[in-house]
Amino acid sequence: MDKPDPIGVGIQYNPEILDWFPFESLDVDLFEVLLDPFMGPLDGPSVFLPGALERLRELRRKRPLLAHSNYGCDFGFGDLERTPAVLRHVPMARAIGSPWIADHSFYGDESWLDIWSSPVQFSPTEVRRIADRARRLQEHYGIPLAHENAAYYLATPGSTMREADFMAALVERSGTFLHLDLHNVYANSLNLAGFDPMAYLETIPLDRVIAVHLAGGSWHDGLYHDWHDNPVPEPVWELLDWLLARARPGAVILEYQGRCHHESTRLLDTDDESMIVRDLARAKAAWAAASVHWAGVS
């Protein structure tokens, strides 16, 4: 499956802060849609919640939409064909015309849907198991499947590989792609001994990077958390510049959140609109500079 053409810079269309943030008036190239908040319940007849598809189709008239799956249970151990990913996210991605689907690389099953940052085991055995599921899932979608690296605090027991080596082996074996969350790379470098963000970027196949996430986080109880509640940190901007000088992803996407991660997450409000606009302007400037570079080497 071919890598999609570049689209530009966008923002995650997050229902949690729609009540105060004017997403739809932003000067962006795209919106990334978290599918889970718009998904109909698995025990009901509807793929979308009432009114959700109409709302997203209206949004699509303004900008392209990119689909993102959080809790599809894709890489747990249950029957793939019975997961939320196949039963709901596949038809949802098709309905909004997404050119690719981003997917978190962590575990999940029917009893564990809301566990955040539960990394898979980084081992050759899991490369083989997950790559088989990923290849079949990409066939279900009929569009490129891009694995997003997670932020986490402890390696899964039994891991014998570095995460970057695991991700590189996964996409090589499955024929899938990468959704590179640079803030997650940065967060892991703060929380995990020996996690080198530059070594990570130098290990993964940059030609398989379809999209990039940027975000900011907070310290809490001695750990740095990917809570999407602060400006993008300077080291993350530096990682983006390094990446764009060497790779041509399809999109750069900013993330901002409410309190779904933790009750200690800083609650964003109207005072944060300027923060979001500043981050967006800097991301667009980085993309524009990279576009000049890409044009010179093509």
Side-chain angles (χ1 to χ4, degrees):
M1 195 168 288
D2 294 332
K3 184 177 176 181
D5 292 333
I7 301 175
V9 177
I11 193 166
Q12 194 172 82
Y13 190 75
N14 192 334
E16 290 186 14
I17 51 179
L18 278 179
D19 58 340
W20 63 264
F21 189 75
F23 277 99
E24 298 174 19
S25 64
L26 288 172
D27 181 16
V28 296
D29 301 309
L30 58 98
F31 292 108
E32 182 184 64
V33 177
L34 294 173
L35 296 180
D36 304 83
F38 297 100
M39 185 183 86
L42 292 178
D43 59 355
S46 300
V47 170
F48 287 88
L49 290 173
L53 180 56
E54 292 75 15
R55 179 173 163 189
L56 292 176
R57 282 178 172 166
E58 180 63 27
L59 184 65
R60 188 186 173 194
R61 293 189 183 98
K62 302 174 182 179
R63 297 289 187 273
L65 302 184
L66 305 179
H68 193 296
S69 169
N70 273 347
Y71 301 120
C73 300
D74 319 48
F75 305 123
F77 295 88
D79 180 4
L80 179 64
E81 278 62 37
R82 293 176 56 84
T83 61
V86 172
L87 296 177
R88 290 291 182 265
H89 295 174
V90 166
M92 292 176 78
R94 291 175 179 168
I96 66 173
S98 182
W100 67 79
I101 177 73
D103 187 303
H104 271 109
S105 291
F106 48 50
Y107 285 125
D109 59 30
E110 292 180 1
S111 65
W112 211 20
L113 277 175
D114 60 351
I115 298 299
W116 194 262
S117 296
S118 47
V120 299
Q121 183 191 83
F122 304 132
S123 69
T125 299
E126 284 296 270
V127 167
R128 294 189 292 272
R129 185 186 71 84
I130 292 174
D132 176 67
R133 291 177 72 96
R135 176 186 51 78
R136 289 189 287 129
L137 183 57
Q138 183 170 251
E139 291 173 356
H140 278 292
Y141 277 111
I143 54 177
L145 169 66
H147 306 280
E148 181 177 356
N149 52 296
Y152 54 95
Y153 310 103
L154 295 170
T156 300
S159 292
T160 59
M161 303 171 68
R162 294 187 308 163
E163 179 192 342
D165 292 319
F166 176 90
M167 299 298 279
L170 172 61
V171 297
E172 173 66 26
R173 188 178 181 93
S174 63
T176 52
F177 297 84
L178 294 172
H179 181 109
L180 178 60
D181 191 313
L182 289 176
H183 187 250
N184 286 350
V185 171
Y186 171 67
N188 289 347
S189 75
L190 296 179
N191 294 326
L192 301 171
F195 191 108
D196 183 340
M198 288 309 305
Y200 188 101
L201 296 186
E202 290 170 348
T203 299
I204 60 173
L206 299 182
D207 63 321
R208 306 298 286 182
V209 176
I210 282 185
V212 177
H213 264 171
L214 304 177
S218 295
W219 286 94
H220 178 70
D221 284 347
L223 292 171
Y224 182 79
H225 297 269
D226 176 48
W227 282 347
H228 308 170
D229 62 348
N230 273 301
V232 177
E234 193 62 34
V236 176
W237 290 117
E238 294 171 2
L239 294 177
L240 177 67
D241 289 338
W242 185 95
L243 175 73
L244 294 181
R246 295 161 177 80
R248 192 175 186 180
V252 171
I253 302 155
L254 290 156
E255 297 181 285
Y256 302 94
Q257 202 94 31
R259 279 198 168 144
C260 78
H261 286 103
H262 192 279
E263 63 182 8
S264 295
T265 303
R266 190 176 69 85
L267 185 61
L268 303 185
D269 59 29
T270 52
D271 293 336
D272 291 296
E273 183 175 336
S274 59
M275 171 191 77
I276 295 175
V277 171
R278 285 195 303 271
D279 278 351
L280 180 59
R282 185 163 179 179
K284 291 176 68 175
W287 183 272
S291 297
V292 173
H293 167 71
W294 298 333
V297 300
S298 61

